[in-house]
């Protein structure tokens, strides 16, 4: 299976039409058609539903397309890092949870740019489950995950700062005027919680095993979307402070009592061989937060 053929396949998926893909790639339509047929034969599956003007993917084709996107993204990142210049260039990919401590990472990226202007940093907002998957595959160089969390098989650096857990409510909610919310307040709320693995266990620790009694009406991956659900009246969102700007909005963040905070760590696979760009980032972060590398 050649990378060239995978790029043909990716272009056809994106264009949904072999003719348009051929024009984009500057190759003939029969060449692409023949290569795709050979690819299906090699894989032993049907990738496209043929017959309509615009090509549609089969279920197997849709799965393969997602894998191809990751393969080609990893290939492009690897080639960029291999062909780095003397002053260090290349790409760093960081999967990150939403947290105020990301400011530390942003400041490190800024300092890194001053020394190595040809390094590009790609930030992907996601959850801990996806971070672990993509670090393992090699697509992400690093991940930023919320604590506490299982870091078996990972090296890590604790990032400075903490975020406070609480409830994001509308300004019309009776809870919006309170200094804090507690377990009795949650019992009467429709709740929107993070879909991240381990969230229920974290809440059970805080609530003394009562999380299963909560009225959870929705889950979220990114808090911005959750804030829109809160504004629409779907429910109130359990979240950390400082992610959504509630100034001049119809939303209010009310902290939990007793106090519940979360910290974050930068993680990477134990024994991972870093590119020069990723190694430079780690050294800069270590210096910025005055913390030795593992």
């Amino acid at each position: 299976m050649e990378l060239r053929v995978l790029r043909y396949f990716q272009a056809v998926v994106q264009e949904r039409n072999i003719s348009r893909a051929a024009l984009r790639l500057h190759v003939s339509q029969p060449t692409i058609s023949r290569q795709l047929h050979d690819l299906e034969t090699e894989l032993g599956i049907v990738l496209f539903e043929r017959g309509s003007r615009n090509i549609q993917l089969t279920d197997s084709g849709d799965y393969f397309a997602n894998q191809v996107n990751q393969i080609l993204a990893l290939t492009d990142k690897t080639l960029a890092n291999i062909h780095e210049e003397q002053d260090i260039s290349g790409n760093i990919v960081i999967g990150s949870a939403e947290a105020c401590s990301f400011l530390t990472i942003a400041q490190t990226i800024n300092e890194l740019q001053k020394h190595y202007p040809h390094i590009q940093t790609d930030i992907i907002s996601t959850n801990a489950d996806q971070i672990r998957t993509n670090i393992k595959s090699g697509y992400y160089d690093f991940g930023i995950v919320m604590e506490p969390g299982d870091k078996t098989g990972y090296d890590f650096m604790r990032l400075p700062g903490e975020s406070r857990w609480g409830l994001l409510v509308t300004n019309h909610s009776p809870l919006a005027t309170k200094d804090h919310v507690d377990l009795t307040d949650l019992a009467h709320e429709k709740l929107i919680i993070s879909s991240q693995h381990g969230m229920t266990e974290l809440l059970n620790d805080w609530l003394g095993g009562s999380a299963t009694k909560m009225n959870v009406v929705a889950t979220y991956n990114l808090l911005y979307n959750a804030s829109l659900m809160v504004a629409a009246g779907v429910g109130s969102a359990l979240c950390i402070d400082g992610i959504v700007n509630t100034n001049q909005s119809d939303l209010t963040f009310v902290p939990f009592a007793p106090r519940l905070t979360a910290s974050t760590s930068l993680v990477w696979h134990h024994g991972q061989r870093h590119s020069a760009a990723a190694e430079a980032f780690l050294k800069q972060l270590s210096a910025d937060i005055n913390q030795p590398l593992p």
Side-chain angles (χ1 to χ4, degrees):
M1 190 182 304
E2 299 179 19
L3 289 175
R4 171 177 51 82
V5 177
L6 295 184
R7 295 193 189 278
Y8 288 172
F9 171 76
Q10 185 184 60
V12 171
V13 170
Q14 291 171 347
E15 298 291 343
R16 298 290 178 178
N17 183 281
I18 292 179
S19 297
R20 289 196 297 268
L23 285 172
R24 179 174 132 189
L25 297 170
H26 306 292
V27 296
S28 69
Q29 182 176 337
T31 296
I32 292 185
S33 297
R34 184 175 64 255
Q35 294 286 359
L36 293 182
H37 181 270
D38 291 345
L39 180 62
E40 288 180 314
T41 301
E42 181 179 355
L43 294 172
I45 60 173
V46 177
L47 296 171
F48 300 103
E49 295 177 357
R50 292 168 173 84
S52 60
R53 181 166 184 170
N54 289 327
I55 289 178
Q56 301 295 322
L57 290 169
T58 63
D59 289 343
S60 296
D62 187 59
Y63 171 78
F64 185 67
N66 289 328
Q67 298 301 107
V68 165
N69 288 338
Q70 289 204 40
I71 290 169
L72 293 179
L74 179 59
T75 299
D76 291 341
K77 188 188 85 169
T78 301
L79 290 174
N81 290 335
I82 287 174
H83 297 124
E84 62 191 19
E85 299 174 9
Q86 188 67 31
D87 66 346
I88 303 182
S89 63
N91 285 63
I92 304 166
V93 182
I94 303 174
S96 178
E98 295 178 301
C100 295
S101 54
F102 182 78
L103 178 60
T104 298
I105 300 298
Q107 291 167 340
T108 291
I109 293 171
N110 182 46
E111 287 300 315
L112 191 67
Q113 279 287 305
K114 295 175 183 177
H115 301 291
Y116 307 110
H118 296 108
I119 291 179
Q120 176 179 317
T121 308
D122 301 325
I123 305 299
I124 301 173
S125 297
T126 185
N127 60 32
D129 298 332
Q130 200 63 42
I131 286 171
R132 291 186 182 93
T133 298
N134 286 319
I135 286 180
K136 185 176 181 180
S137 71
Y139 178 37
Y140 292 175
D141 295 291
F142 307 103
I144 300 169
V145 297
M146 304 295 294
E147 297 289 357
D150 182 13
K151 294 185 288 298
T152 304
Y154 293 88
D155 291 326
F156 65 95
M157 295 175 67
R158 289 283 175 88
L159 299 178
E162 288 185 332
S163 300
R164 189 168 183 182
W165 281 94
L167 202 63
L168 190 66
V169 301
T170 66
N171 292 339
H172 308 295
S173 168
L175 298 179
T177 59
K178 300 188 66 172
D179 293 331
H180 64 268
V181 293
D182 55 29
L183 178 57
T184 58
D185 296 316
L186 295 183
H188 306 291
E189 288 290 303
K190 294 187 298 181
L191 299 175
I192 305 167
I193 70 170
S194 169
S195 59
Q196 181 170 312
H197 179 73
M199 186 65 196
T200 301
E201 289 80 0
L202 175 65
L203 293 173
N204 270 322
D205 287 343
W206 181 68
L207 299 173
S210 301
T212 54
K213 300 176 184 178
M214 295 189 304
N215 181 21
V216 177
V217 297
T219 62
Y220 67 87
N221 181 19
L222 298 177
L223 186 55
Y224 177 74
N225 291 334
S227 72
L228 296 181
M229 287 195 284
V230 175
V234 175
S236 301
L238 276 78
C239 61
I240 57 175
D241 195 9
I243 305 302
V244 173
N245 184 2
T246 59
N247 294 331
Q248 298 180 336
S249 76
D250 193 36
L251 302 176
T252 297
F253 177 85
V254 189
F256 286 151
R259 184 182 180 91
L260 179 65
T261 60
S263 58
T264 55
S265 292
L266 182 87
V267 301
W268 61 95
H269 212 277
H270 179 68
Q272 179 176 343
R273 184 179 177 85
H274 294 297
S275 67
E279 192 67 34
F281 168 81
L282 266 186
K283 290 179 180 177
Q284 184 64 55
L285 178 63
S286 174
D288 289 346
I289 64 177
N290 194 27
Q291 187 178 143
L293 290 170

